[in-house]
Amino acid sequence: MQWRVIEKQKDALETQGKSLEEAQLVRRAMLGDAPSLEKLIGFYYDAIHAFCCRRTGNASAGADACQETFLKMVQNLPHHETGHKKPMHI
């Protein structure tokens, strides 16, 4: 029973760490730091790409949709409000 509590705490800390790292990357990307933007995209690329391919049923259309998604993210980055506890929504 004790190990379950420890595992839950560990998972919460890992999630919090990812959220803090993500928030730092978002702030840097907002300032025009290309490596931070690249890393931020890297966090989500595989999941977004897989979703888009499944949703469209076509690898080429999925890749296009994925590209459009990240383009919208970059275009809306200046409007993102930092300080939220929730991760960035793409």
Side-chain angles (χ1 to χ4, degrees):
M1 192 67 158
Q2 183 72 20
W3 65 272
R4 287 183 185 172
V5 172
I6 292 171
E7 285 298 314
K8 285 182 181 179
Q9 291 173 342
K10 181 181 168 191
D11 290 344
L13 286 173
E14 287 176 4
T15 300
Q16 183 180 11
K18 287 178 186 175
S19 295
L20 290 174
E21 182 178 6
E22 181 182 305
Q24 291 172 343
L25 290 172
V26 168
R27 277 193 224 81
R28 290 180 192 148
M30 289 172 75
L31 295 172
D33 183 49
S36 294
L37 179 60
E38 189 174 325
K39 192 168 183 180
L40 187 62
I41 289 171
F43 276 158
Y44 294 101
Y45 185 83
D46 290 339
I48 297 294
H49 184 260
F51 172 79
C52 290
C53 287
R54 280 192 314 270
R55 187 76 173 148
T56 62
N58 180 300
S60 180
D64 288 345
C66 182
Q67 182 176 350
E68 287 294 320
T69 299
F70 285 109
L71 181 60
K72 291 282 187 187
M73 181 197 79
V74 171
Q75 290 172 340
N76 288 304
L77 205 51
H79 307 292
H80 178 71
E81 295 179 28
T82 57
H84 290 279
K85 293 186 179 183
K86 293 182 180 180
M88 184 173 177
H89 292 273
I90 296 181

